[in-house]
Amino acid sequence: MNFKQLTYFIAVAEELHFGRAAERLDMAQPPLSRQIKLLEESLGAVLINRCRNATSLTQAGERLLERAQSIMEQLNDTRLEVKRLGQGAEGRLRVGFVGSATFGILPNILKSYRATYPDVNLSLIPMNNAKLHRALVTREIDIAFTRPALVDNDIATRNLTEEDLIVAVPDTLDSGGRSVDLATLDRPNYILYPEYPRPSYADLVLDCCEAQGLDTSRRVWTMDIQTALSLVAIGEGICIVPASVGTAQRNGVRFRTIRKPLGVTTLALNARIDEQGVHVCNFKRIAQMVARKAG
């Protein structure tokens, strides 16, 4: 028994007429009759009662019709599912990101992707750069938004946005305006993240401060930007953050530009070079489109 024979049998069983079934299948009646006979012989059961004035199904034929229709329905569902997966319309995509990405274009990228591919299951996983790198290499995630870009011969990277560095200060600090001269602050605590592993975004900040001769000897380490901003809010120190972070209001914190520009930070989109799946390609295309519009 094969799918072609099942197709022939379903047509005859539904039409209960060999002539009409043959027309439906766009074939001659004798070959159709032979195929049904071969099917009955292979199964060892009579499926169709052939009378001069009427055609009916035997009990075996009724059971086979029920099962055959179910099989064909499952086959069609499978074809559609596989096609949608192949087109990237269904499936799963695992996206890792640094915490600061949520203040920039990442939400718009996710909204655009969900609007275009609503049936793809998105897994969103916050990590620091080192964990994102490891997760990409071990295939635990498919896409990584990092700051800065990952450096690896097996990873393809595209810079999406470049932002100035600004400073988050306690709202009790009188900065004398919308900008802050870091050199005039009285040896503040620099709240840095992540504490480990290194190098990381914290090293970018330290390098920029060192280039301007700023004293960063008093350091408070934490693991993520949310905790860092919470520490700023209680007056524990100041924190250098990407400019996009300053677009969000936070109690106890003021965001100020730096009077002598400290430097820039880049948000990068990373994926494995050998990952050519349609879901990743579609996501990268939408991310780049959103970045161009935002730029």
Side-chain angles (χ1 to χ4, degrees):
M1 183 172 63
N2 54 48
F3 284 114
K4 181 175 288 188
Q5 288 177 322
L6 283 181
T7 301
Y8 294 157
F9 170 74
I10 290 172
V12 174
E14 290 179 346
E15 298 290 343
L16 291 177
H17 191 283
F18 278 87
R20 289 195 299 269
E23 289 183 16
R24 170 173 157 180
L25 295 167
D26 194 24
M27 64 186 298
Q29 182 175 334
L32 176 60
S33 298
R34 285 197 297 273
Q35 287 296 325
I36 299 301
K37 188 65 176 177
L38 288 173
L39 177 61
E40 290 176 320
E41 290 174 357
S42 68
L43 292 175
V46 175
L47 303 172
I48 298 173
N49 291 315
R50 300 164 177 83
C51 301
R52 178 173 296 180
N53 298 323
T55 300
S56 63
L57 296 179
T58 65
Q59 285 189 347
E62 290 176 350
R63 178 59 57 84
L64 180 59
L65 177 60
E66 179 184 331
R67 295 294 179 87
Q69 288 172 331
S70 176
I71 290 170
M72 290 304 182
E73 184 177 343
Q74 291 181 45
L75 178 61
N76 289 332
D77 288 345
T78 301
R79 285 173 176 163
L80 178 61
E81 183 178 347
V82 171
K83 181 179 180 180
R84 287 177 61 81
L85 283 168
Q87 294 173 337
E90 291 184 4
R92 180 185 65 167
L93 188 67
R94 301 162 300 175
V95 180
F97 58 94
V98 291
S100 62
T102 60
F103 296 94
I105 66 171
L106 178 58
N108 288 335
I109 292 172
L110 296 176
K111 287 178 184 177
S112 294
Y113 185 81
R114 285 193 186 279
T116 309
Y117 302 102
D119 294 327
V120 174
N121 180 23
L122 276 178
S123 297
L124 305 175
I125 312 161
M127 303 181 188
N128 61 38
N129 256 35
K131 289 182 179 179
L132 288 167
H133 190 178
R134 184 165 56 251
L136 265 186
V137 171
T138 58
R139 302 179 185 273
E140 296 172 40
I141 60 175
D142 307 301
I143 292 285
F145 287 90
T146 64
R147 194 187 298 278
L150 301 179
V151 179
D152 190 310
N153 291 334
D154 294 325
I155 293 176
T157 293
R158 180 178 289 271
N159 291 333
L160 295 179
T161 59
E162 186 176 88
E163 306 173 47
D164 291 332
L165 294 173
I166 62 173
V167 61
V169 301
D171 61 4
T172 55
L173 178 67
D174 182 9
S175 62
R178 300 296 299 175
S179 64
V180 173
D181 186 349
L182 296 179
T184 64
L185 298 181
D186 185 18
R187 298 188 66 234
N189 290 336
Y190 278 80
I191 301 171
L192 301 162
Y193 66 91
E195 183 174 9
Y196 60 85
R198 307 278 294 282
S200 66
Y201 171 76
D203 295 285
L204 168 67
V205 171
L206 291 173
D207 289 344
C208 290
C209 290
E210 183 180 350
Q212 290 195 13
L214 299 173
D215 181 3
T216 60
S217 58
R218 298 180 62 179
R219 303 174 183 178
V220 177
W221 290 95
T222 186
M223 286 309 300
D224 57 67
I225 189 170
Q226 297 296 346
T227 307
L229 293 176
S230 296
L231 292 175
V232 172
I234 63 174
E236 188 65 23
I238 65 173
C239 184
I240 307 299
V241 298
S244 58
V245 178
T247 61
Q249 297 294 321
R250 191 179 183 95
N251 291 336
V253 179
R254 290 176 179 165
F255 297 99
R256 297 290 184 258
T257 59
I258 299 171
R259 201 158 296 164
K260 184 179 179 182
L262 193 62
V264 298
T265 177
T266 301
L267 182 68
L269 175 66
N270 307 263
R272 294 183 303 275
I273 290 176
D274 63 359
E275 178 54 80
Q276 300 297 321
V278 66
H279 294 88
V280 171
C281 292
N282 288 341
F283 190 91
K284 289 164 66 175
R285 174 177 53 80
I286 288 177
Q288 292 164 23
M289 177 185 67
V290 172
R292 283 195 299 270
K293 289 182 178 179

Short mmCIF file of all heavy atoms in Angstrom, two decimals, residues 101 104-106 109 143-147 149 157-163 265-270 283-295:
data_model
loop_
_atom_site.label_atom_id
_atom_site.label_comp_id
_atom_site.label_asym_id
_atom_site.label_seq_id
_atom_site.Cartn_x
_atom_site.Cartn_y
_atom_site.Cartn_z
N ALA A 101 20.92 47.10 25.67
CA ALA A 101 20.28 47.08 24.35
C ALA A 101 18.79 47.36 24.43
O ALA A 101 18.19 47.83 23.47
CB ALA A 101 20.53 45.73 23.67
N GLY A 104 17.75 50.95 23.60
CA GLY A 104 17.98 51.47 22.26
C GLY A 104 17.01 50.91 21.25
O GLY A 104 15.80 50.88 21.46
N ILE A 105 17.55 50.39 20.14
CA ILE A 105 16.70 49.97 19.02
C ILE A 105 16.19 48.54 19.15
O ILE A 105 15.34 48.12 18.36
CB ILE A 105 17.43 50.13 17.67
CG1 ILE A 105 18.62 49.17 17.58
CG2 ILE A 105 17.86 51.56 17.45
CD1 ILE A 105 19.23 49.12 16.19
N LEU A 106 16.68 47.78 20.12
CA LEU A 106 16.26 46.39 20.22
C LEU A 106 14.75 46.24 20.33
O LEU A 106 14.17 45.38 19.63
CB LEU A 106 16.96 45.70 21.40
CG LEU A 106 16.57 44.24 21.64
CD1 LEU A 106 16.84 43.39 20.41
CD2 LEU A 106 17.30 43.66 22.85
N ILE A 109 13.27 46.54 16.92
CA ILE A 109 13.61 45.39 16.09
C ILE A 109 12.68 44.22 16.42
O ILE A 109 12.14 43.56 15.52
CB ILE A 109 15.08 44.98 16.28
CG1 ILE A 109 16.01 46.06 15.71
CG2 ILE A 109 15.37 43.63 15.63
CD1 ILE A 109 17.47 45.83 16.01
N ILE A 143 21.21 34.47 17.85
CA ILE A 143 21.55 35.87 17.61
C ILE A 143 22.05 36.47 18.91
O ILE A 143 21.53 36.15 19.99
CB ILE A 143 20.32 36.66 17.12
CG1 ILE A 143 19.90 36.20 15.73
CG2 ILE A 143 20.59 38.15 17.13
CD1 ILE A 143 20.79 36.68 14.61
N ALA A 144 23.03 37.37 18.83
CA ALA A 144 23.52 38.05 20.03
C ALA A 144 23.67 39.55 19.76
O ALA A 144 24.33 39.94 18.79
CB ALA A 144 24.86 37.47 20.48
N PHE A 145 23.05 40.36 20.60
CA PHE A 145 23.27 41.80 20.59
C PHE A 145 24.30 42.11 21.67
O PHE A 145 24.04 41.89 22.86
CB PHE A 145 21.97 42.55 20.89
CG PHE A 145 20.99 42.54 19.76
CD1 PHE A 145 20.05 41.52 19.65
CD2 PHE A 145 20.99 43.54 18.80
CE1 PHE A 145 19.14 41.50 18.60
CE2 PHE A 145 20.09 43.53 17.75
CZ PHE A 145 19.16 42.51 17.65
N THR A 146 25.46 42.60 21.25
CA THR A 146 26.56 42.80 22.18
C THR A 146 27.06 44.23 22.15
O THR A 146 26.84 44.98 21.21
CB THR A 146 27.73 41.85 21.85
OG1 THR A 146 28.25 42.19 20.55
CG2 THR A 146 27.29 40.40 21.87
N ARG A 147 27.79 44.58 23.20
CA ARG A 147 28.41 45.89 23.31
C ARG A 147 29.74 45.72 24.02
O ARG A 147 29.75 45.49 25.22
CB ARG A 147 27.50 46.83 24.09
CG ARG A 147 27.88 48.30 24.00
CD ARG A 147 27.04 49.13 24.94
NE ARG A 147 25.61 49.11 24.69
CZ ARG A 147 24.97 49.87 23.79
NH1 ARG A 147 25.68 50.70 23.04
NH2 ARG A 147 23.68 49.79 23.64
N ALA A 149 31.23 44.70 19.77
CA ALA A 149 31.09 43.54 18.92
C ALA A 149 31.98 42.40 19.39
O ALA A 149 33.04 42.63 19.99
CB ALA A 149 31.44 43.90 17.47
N THR A 157 29.72 39.72 12.36
CA THR A 157 29.28 40.86 13.18
C THR A 157 28.89 42.03 12.30
O THR A 157 29.55 42.30 11.29
CB THR A 157 30.41 41.28 14.14
OG1 THR A 157 30.63 40.24 15.09
CG2 THR A 157 30.05 42.55 14.88
N ARG A 158 27.84 42.72 12.68
CA ARG A 158 27.45 43.96 12.00
C ARG A 158 27.11 45.00 13.06
O ARG A 158 26.25 44.77 13.91
CB ARG A 158 26.25 43.74 11.08
CG ARG A 158 25.81 45.02 10.35
CD ARG A 158 24.67 44.74 9.42
NE ARG A 158 25.10 43.98 8.27
CZ ARG A 158 25.55 44.52 7.14
NH1 ARG A 158 25.66 45.82 7.03
NH2 ARG A 158 25.91 43.75 6.14
N ASN A 159 27.78 46.14 13.00
CA ASN A 159 27.48 47.23 13.93
C ASN A 159 26.16 47.89 13.52
O ASN A 159 25.97 48.26 12.36
CB ASN A 159 28.60 48.27 13.92
CG ASN A 159 29.88 47.73 14.54
OD1 ASN A 159 29.83 46.83 15.39
ND2 ASN A 159 31.01 48.26 14.15
N LEU A 160 25.25 48.03 14.48
CA LEU A 160 23.93 48.59 14.20
C LEU A 160 23.85 50.07 14.55
O LEU A 160 23.34 50.87 13.76
CB LEU A 160 22.86 47.82 14.97
CG LEU A 160 22.67 46.35 14.59
CD1 LEU A 160 21.59 45.74 15.46
CD2 LEU A 160 22.30 46.20 13.12
N THR A 161 24.30 50.45 15.73
CA THR A 161 24.22 51.84 16.17
C THR A 161 25.48 52.23 16.92
O THR A 161 26.11 51.39 17.58
CB THR A 161 23.02 52.08 17.10
OG1 THR A 161 23.14 51.24 18.26
CG2 THR A 161 21.71 51.79 16.39
N GLU A 162 25.83 53.49 16.83
CA GLU A 162 26.94 54.05 17.60
C GLU A 162 26.40 55.18 18.46
O GLU A 162 25.69 56.06 17.97
CB GLU A 162 28.03 54.57 16.66
CG GLU A 162 29.28 55.05 17.38
CD GLU A 162 30.38 55.47 16.41
OE1 GLU A 162 30.37 56.65 16.02
OE2 GLU A 162 31.21 54.63 16.05
N GLU A 163 26.70 55.13 19.75
CA GLU A 163 26.14 56.10 20.69
C GLU A 163 27.25 56.75 21.50
O GLU A 163 28.27 56.13 21.82
CB GLU A 163 25.19 55.41 21.68
CG GLU A 163 24.08 54.61 21.05
CD GLU A 163 23.30 53.85 22.11
OE1 GLU A 163 22.94 54.46 23.14
OE2 GLU A 163 23.09 52.63 21.93
N THR A 265 30.11 54.11 22.12
CA THR A 265 29.94 52.67 22.26
C THR A 265 29.06 52.17 21.12
O THR A 265 28.17 52.89 20.67
CB THR A 265 29.31 52.30 23.62
OG1 THR A 265 29.10 50.89 23.68
CG2 THR A 265 28.00 53.00 23.83
N THR A 266 29.31 50.99 20.67
CA THR A 266 28.61 50.43 19.51
C THR A 266 27.81 49.20 19.91
O THR A 266 28.31 48.33 20.62
CB THR A 266 29.62 50.04 18.41
OG1 THR A 266 30.35 51.20 18.02
CG2 THR A 266 28.89 49.49 17.20
N LEU A 267 26.55 49.16 19.47
CA LEU A 267 25.72 47.96 19.64
C LEU A 267 25.85 47.14 18.37
O LEU A 267 25.62 47.64 17.27
CB LEU A 267 24.27 48.33 19.89
CG LEU A 267 23.33 47.14 20.14
CD1 LEU A 267 23.65 46.48 21.47
CD2 LEU A 267 21.87 47.60 20.11
N ALA A 268 26.22 45.87 18.54
CA ALA A 268 26.49 45.01 17.38
C ALA A 268 25.56 43.80 17.37
O ALA A 268 25.16 43.29 18.41
CB ALA A 268 27.94 44.55 17.39
N LEU A 269 25.24 43.37 16.16
CA LEU A 269 24.46 42.15 15.94
C LEU A 269 25.42 41.06 15.51
O LEU A 269 26.19 41.22 14.56
CB LEU A 269 23.41 42.39 14.86
CG LEU A 269 22.58 41.19 14.40
CD1 LEU A 269 21.69 40.71 15.53
CD2 LEU A 269 21.74 41.55 13.19
N ASN A 270 25.39 39.93 16.22
CA ASN A 270 26.33 38.84 15.97
C ASN A 270 25.59 37.53 15.71
O ASN A 270 24.58 37.24 16.35
CB ASN A 270 27.25 38.64 17.19
CG ASN A 270 27.93 39.92 17.63
OD1 ASN A 270 29.06 40.18 17.28
ND2 ASN A 270 27.23 40.72 18.43
N PHE A 283 15.75 37.67 10.57
CA PHE A 283 15.93 38.56 11.72
C PHE A 283 17.02 39.59 11.43
O PHE A 283 16.86 40.78 11.74
CB PHE A 283 16.29 37.75 12.97
CG PHE A 283 16.26 38.57 14.23
CD1 PHE A 283 15.10 38.66 14.99
CD2 PHE A 283 17.38 39.26 14.66
CE1 PHE A 283 15.07 39.43 16.14
CE2 PHE A 283 17.36 40.03 15.81
CZ PHE A 283 16.20 40.10 16.56
N LYS A 284 18.12 39.15 10.86
CA LYS A 284 19.21 40.08 10.53
C LYS A 284 18.74 41.14 9.54
O LYS A 284 19.09 42.32 9.66
CB LYS A 284 20.41 39.30 9.98
CG LYS A 284 21.13 38.48 11.03
CD LYS A 284 22.05 37.43 10.41
CE LYS A 284 23.20 38.04 9.66
NZ LYS A 284 24.13 36.98 9.17
N ARG A 285 17.95 40.72 8.56
CA ARG A 285 17.45 41.67 7.56
C ARG A 285 16.58 42.74 8.21
O ARG A 285 16.74 43.94 7.93
CB ARG A 285 16.65 40.91 6.50
CG ARG A 285 15.96 41.80 5.48
CD ARG A 285 15.25 40.96 4.42
NE ARG A 285 14.36 39.98 4.99
CZ ARG A 285 13.13 40.24 5.43
NH1 ARG A 285 12.67 41.49 5.36
NH2 ARG A 285 12.37 39.28 5.93
N ILE A 286 15.68 42.33 9.10
CA ILE A 286 14.80 43.29 9.77
C ILE A 286 15.59 44.19 10.71
O ILE A 286 15.35 45.40 10.79
CB ILE A 286 13.68 42.53 10.52
CG1 ILE A 286 12.70 41.96 9.50
CG2 ILE A 286 12.96 43.45 11.51
CD1 ILE A 286 11.59 41.13 10.09
N ALA A 287 16.57 43.62 11.42
CA ALA A 287 17.39 44.42 12.34
C ALA A 287 18.14 45.51 11.59
O ALA A 287 18.21 46.67 12.04
CB ALA A 287 18.36 43.52 13.09
N GLN A 288 18.70 45.17 10.46
CA GLN A 288 19.44 46.16 9.67
C GLN A 288 18.51 47.22 9.09
O GLN A 288 18.88 48.40 9.02
CB GLN A 288 20.21 45.44 8.57
CG GLN A 288 21.35 44.56 9.10
CD GLN A 288 21.85 43.56 8.10
OE1 GLN A 288 21.69 43.75 6.89
NE2 GLN A 288 22.46 42.49 8.56
N MET A 289 17.30 46.83 8.73
CA MET A 289 16.33 47.78 8.20
C MET A 289 15.93 48.78 9.28
O MET A 289 15.90 49.99 9.03
CB MET A 289 15.11 47.04 7.68
CG MET A 289 14.00 47.94 7.16
SD MET A 289 12.53 47.00 6.68
CE MET A 289 12.00 46.38 8.30
N VAL A 290 15.66 48.28 10.49
CA VAL A 290 15.29 49.16 11.60
C VAL A 290 16.45 50.09 11.96
O VAL A 290 16.25 51.28 12.22
CB VAL A 290 14.86 48.33 12.83
CG1 VAL A 290 14.65 49.22 14.04
CG2 VAL A 290 13.59 47.55 12.52
N ALA A 291 17.67 49.55 11.95
CA ALA A 291 18.85 50.36 12.27
C ALA A 291 19.04 51.48 11.25
O ALA A 291 19.38 52.62 11.62
CB ALA A 291 20.09 49.49 12.33
N ARG A 292 18.80 51.18 9.97
CA ARG A 292 18.94 52.22 8.94
C ARG A 292 17.92 53.32 9.14
O ARG A 292 18.23 54.51 9.01
CB ARG A 292 18.79 51.60 7.55
CG ARG A 292 20.02 50.85 7.06
CD ARG A 292 19.94 50.58 5.57
NE ARG A 292 18.79 49.75 5.21
CZ ARG A 292 18.79 48.44 5.16
NH1 ARG A 292 19.91 47.79 5.46
NH2 ARG A 292 17.71 47.77 4.83
N LYS A 293 16.69 52.95 9.46
CA LYS A 293 15.66 53.96 9.70
C LYS A 293 15.97 54.81 10.92
O LYS A 293 15.71 56.01 10.94
CB LYS A 293 14.30 53.28 9.86
CG LYS A 293 13.74 52.68 8.58
CD LYS A 293 12.38 52.06 8.83
CE LYS A 293 11.79 51.49 7.53
NZ LYS A 293 10.46 50.86 7.76
N ALA A 294 16.54 54.17 11.95
CA ALA A 294 16.86 54.89 13.18
C ALA A 294 18.08 55.79 13.01
O ALA A 294 18.25 56.77 13.72
CB ALA A 294 17.09 53.90 14.33
N GLY A 295 18.95 55.39 12.06
CA GLY A 295 20.21 56.10 11.88
C GLY A 295 20.09 57.44 11.22
O GLY A 295 20.97 58.26 11.30
#
